[in-house]
Amino acid sequence: IYGGRPPARALSLHHHQVPPPPDHPAFYCRVLTTTGRDSTQPAILKDLQRHPANWQILHMDLQRIGEGEKIRMHVPIHFVGEESSPGVKQGGTMSRLMTEVEVSCLPKDLPEYIEVDISGLDLDDMLYLSDVKAPEGVELTELAYGEEHDHAIVSVHIIRAAPVEEEEVAAPEAAEPGEAEQPEGPEEGGGEAED
């Protein structure tokens, strides 16, 4: 665990004391509480390493946080309303251009996910970061860098297969009946080859 004024500190835990993180990505944007012999410290998970074979947790990086200090975290985006989208009803496909977004907020305001409603998207429509309604107290950090960072997050369009270009291969002309193929020889007008 690291961060804040106290120096970094190594913690040892029995594996059964660590709740197995669910497959839901929201686990990685929750405020955790570490309890030691002499103190309790809120923290956020910054990294998690697992054993490649048995999926056992091998190592965790935790960052200390203060209740009055803003933190930056990546939270998943949940898209809703796909079945109601006019563009999808017309045969369009929803393309998720971003699956998570970085937010800045106080620990108490940290959302587990950001919900984006696409029920109003028509064909060839897109939503951008500036279209996202973040919860109160939550800011999207990319938008602080200017308009050029207002990235598209989702679009609805019809996917068309590219036409396959077939190469034309000229077939050899067949000889007419009675005509024999002439062996290649010296060009016309040339004399006999000299010894």
Side-chain angles (χ1 to χ4, degrees), residues 136-150:
E136 188 176 349
V138 178
E139 300 172 353
L140 305 183
T141 57
E142 279 293 318
L143 295 179
Y145 297 116
E147 292 182 5
E148 63 274 10
H149 289 266
D150 189 11

Side-chain angles (χ1 to χ4, degrees), residues 156-173:
V156 175
H157 57 273
I158 292 179
I159 298 176
R160 294 180 176 86
V164 178
E165 296 182 5
E166 297 182 3
E167 295 183 6
E168 294 183 7
V169 179
E173 294 181 8

